[in-house]
Amino acid sequence: MSQLKVGLAGLGTVGVAVVQMLERQAAEIEARTGRSVKVVAVSARSKGKDRGIDLSGVRWHDDPVALARDPDIDVFVELMGGDGDPAKAAVAAALAAGRPVVTANKALLAHHGVELAQVGEASNATLHFEAAVAGGIPIVKTLREALGGNRIERVSGILNGTCNYILTRMADEKIAFDACLADAQRLGYAEADPTFDIDGFDTAHKLALLTSLAFGTKVDADAIYVEGIRSLTLADLEAADELGFKVKLLGVAVRTEEGIEQRVHPTMVPKHWPIAQVSGVTNAVAVNGDAVNLTLVGPGAGGAATASAVVGDLIDVARGNGGFAFGLPVAALQPAQRAPMQRHEGGYYIRVAAVNKPGTAATIARRMAEEGISLESIVQRRPQRAAGVEPNDVAVILITYATTEDAVRRVMAAIEADGVIVGQPQVIRIEKD
Amino acid sequence: MSQLKVGLAGLGTVGVAVVQMLERQAAEIEARTGRSVKVVAVSARSKGKDRGIDLSGVRWHDDPVALARDPDIDVFVELMGGDGDPAKAAVAAALAAGRPVVTANKALLAHHGVELAQVGEASNATLHFEAAVAGGIPIVKTLREALGGNRIERVSGILNGTCNYILTRMADEKIAFDACLADAQRLGYAEADPTFDIDGFDTAHKLALLTSLAFGTKVDADAIYVEGIRSLTLADLEAADELGFKVKLLGVAVRTEEGIEQRVHPTMVPKHWPIAQVSGVTNAVAVNGDAVNLTLVGPGAGGAATASAVVGDLIDVARGNGGFAFGLPVAALQPAQRAPMQRHEGGYYIRVAAVNKPGTAATIARRMAEEGISLESIVQRRPQRAAGVEPNDVAVILITYATTEDAVRRVMAAIEADGVIVGQPQVIRIEKD
């Protein structure tokens, strides 16, 4: 029975979990694939560290690129992270040497995915990255293989557990953003510097990969409009609840007449949508195809879940199930036609702190009418400090029917110039059936 | 570019949808697989029928077995249905001739899956059946490939859209079972003879396949305890709602110390579970592994959704992604150790029509205590005809803590013999966190 010799770079939580899973499930994996899948060489930052796994008999490389070039490995697993070297150099070296690569590195692929896929194609080495998007949810395989007969219209998802944890606690327990973030940091769900998660960049990296898989376009993280969850207040979440919505940080890629619109922002989704009911650190991805609408819900991070995806990819490698990294050969991937966000169409939730004087409501309503925006509802809140509104001002919440981003932005600029609002208006896009 | 020549038996709704999807997505599928996938020969009941698809240039076989043996096809697609011949003979003939088979036929595989997988293994022909379980939800691929590194503890699902449609309408609109069934029949969700769906057999066939994929056991539909939804009343669904549950017809396979417990029955699940929120004809499957808990929600039936699964399998065939039908070679599949239902452990919802006289409640409580069953709650309803209870009797609803099926059955027999209840008690198993 032939062996699949694994070289593994990166022995953090995920790397250790991969080693353990391959050992624990060795007999079963061998039965499934007809090969024994075994880690024979590793690379990590510090050699001496006790990681609770037995690495005796496993070759050590200080340099991950040297590991990737080790002629005595059959597949290279990259779990170092980082969108530049050494991760990039190591992955490129393995692929150039004709060695399949399994990686969990979303940042690397979001920025260099097409280039690396091309290196792999040139030397007939496959590139696998199930773990890079939504952790334990097999969305890469689902888009790349299972839904291959569908024309996909839309992919959207809760792709960042940190944000969903914060939004869930804010909504359910009425705890302010900062306190929820502090808890997330204490529980290890958020980094000391949480920017990457809560400002939406992590979601954008994953969305960039999903977009390519779903629409056959080149990965283009720079084409994504990104907005994080920092500005959301309890007042917004409470208003959403009353209106029948939940607020989620969604990554959305949708086919429009202008091209593929890619965006990451807080979104109000109807409570009855499966994705609205996903709480805590759990992730979810919804795919709308011409034949199938599918929602997958599962763990987006964590050692075991991510290892599950890595090992699933290794099983594919062992079985010889390769295919193109992004579903199509690189030459067939289309440039991502960037649909400009100003042309985004949909309903909007708008919360402003309106100056408490006669004529304010009339001015806001007139500006909306000038831009042809119809209002589904207007709610005026009694003045309160808690929502961050000065007692002299009044929180006004407007829900619009479908309009364009452009029109909304013009109205906001106009009413600001009119002097009828104070501070920054809160604008949340609405997704509906 | 080499062609993958498809022979397709069965030109009903799904067969026609497959032909259309392969035409519509031809260019994309060719780009994905490097091969053009084309229907070159078909077989169906009546040759002359207008199906709205162009079959000129496509060979016709009156006999599906002859089609399966046609040396000029590369893959045989079986969409005839039925657990015996000609479907069985045709699938066996194709596999014996070394030709991969794609089928949507759950009844055939539930009864003869292992035998057919063996025929395929002997001649190195792969057997694909994504469409046979939960239609457009890629649960076969997920269990067979993506979760290959997990030790699965439990698989459960809403696998029959007809039942879920009926239960959703009963719960949401308070319409009785018979009226919901009639609507389902009118809308084409249920057959004129609905037995197969509403008595749980269709769910059992699909569960048998999931069990094999999840636990590496031989498909064994006869090992499944099956109970349908016919006996459920509005009183049960209302009580469930008040207690924080939804009632779903679930197929459940779970690893126990006694072996794999396989069962199909109405189940009370906590409202907050993703599966509880799946309404209408939609299907869902939840997988609990040691590394990943995953829920997939999507269409379980319908021409387009089923065709999506068939075409996904054809793309795998074109890409040479085969593997073992049930994840493992037949020789490695374990006999399904049948965990007897009497040993099932869990909470129970019990509704009885109690005789309205002194001592009745005491007798029921004593019988429960004798069997060591602790009660979480007892609710007594005022007499009403609507719940099927005679005015002289009182509906008593008991919720037990975890106990065994055996103990519950003994209590029911005892209180019947005591003469304190009339009619058949309603017993619904509860699943909880």
Side-chain angles (χ1 to χ4, degrees), chain B residues 42-292:
Chain B
V42 296
S43 172
R45 278 214 195 100
S46 61
K47 186 171 179 180
K49 191 173 169 184
D50 180 13
R51 298 176 172 91
I53 49 174
D54 180 14
L55 292 174
S56 58
V58 173
R59 285 193 303 288
W60 181 273
H61 287 272
D62 285 321
D63 177 10
V65 180
L67 169 61
R69 291 205 179 106
D70 186 332
D72 206 29
I73 66 169
D74 300 314
V75 54
F76 177 64
V77 177
E78 186 274 304
L79 301 172
M80 294 177 284
D83 64 4
D85 293 333
K88 188 186 172 203
V91 168
L95 291 171
R99 227 156 262 145
V101 168
V102 175
T103 176
N105 192 333
K106 53 203 169 278
L108 175 67
L109 293 176
H111 290 107
H112 309 290
V114 175
E115 180 190 341
L116 291 169
Q118 203 148 27
V119 174
E121 273 179 40
S123 57
N124 213 13
T126 53
L127 175 58
H128 306 253
F129 56 90
E130 187 64 80
V133 186
I137 301 177
I139 184 62
V140 173
K141 183 177 274 286
T142 295
L143 285 171
R144 189 154 65 179
E145 303 179 12
L147 299 184
N150 281 250
R151 177 178 159 93
I152 308 288
E153 296 300 331
R154 190 171 182 280
V155 183
S156 60
I158 295 171
L159 301 172
N160 183 277
T162 310
C163 289
N164 207 50
Y165 170 83
I166 292 172
L167 293 177
T168 303
R169 290 208 59 202
M170 286 176 75
D172 291 356
E173 301 173 46
K174 317 224 181 291
I175 300 173
F177 176 82
D178 289 337
C180 293
L181 173 58
D183 276 355
Q185 287 171 320
R186 195 171 43 76
L187 292 165
Y189 296 155
E191 307 283 332
D193 176 3
T195 303
F196 194 68
D197 288 321
I198 66 174
D199 289 340
F201 302 117
D202 174 73
T203 300
H205 282 164
K206 295 165 183 168
L207 181 66
L209 302 177
L210 291 183
T211 304
S212 177
L213 289 162
F215 300 103
T217 53
K218 288 189 172 139
V219 186
D220 185 2
D222 297 330
I224 302 178
Y225 171 84
V226 183
E227 209 177 278
I229 63 168
R230 244 182 243 268
S231 75
L232 293 174
T233 66
L234 291 179
D236 296 321
L237 300 200
E238 279 166 28
D241 183 61
E242 284 166 27
L243 293 159
F245 293 95
K246 294 259 190 187
V247 180
K248 296 292 180 187
L249 182 73
L250 290 194
V252 180
V254 58
R255 199 190 286 277
T256 74
E257 282 176 15
E258 314 275 343
I260 307 297
E261 184 180 279
Q262 293 185 73
R263 47 195 167 85
V264 173
H265 53 71
T267 311
M268 286 176 48
V269 290
K271 276 183 192 171
H272 66 88
W273 281 16
I275 220 167
Q277 292 149 356
V278 173
S279 57
V281 293
T282 303
N283 281 20
V285 186
V287 184
N288 300 108
D290 57 351
V292 167

Side-chain angles (χ1 to χ4, degrees), chain B residues 4 27 32 132 168 226 242 259 266 268 296 299 336 344 357 359 378 384 395 413:
Chain B
L4 182 78
R32 280 182 182 276
T168 303
V226 183
E242 284 166 27
M268 286 176 48
L296 289 77
H344 170 70
K357 67 178 183 191
I378 307 184
Q384 52 179 349

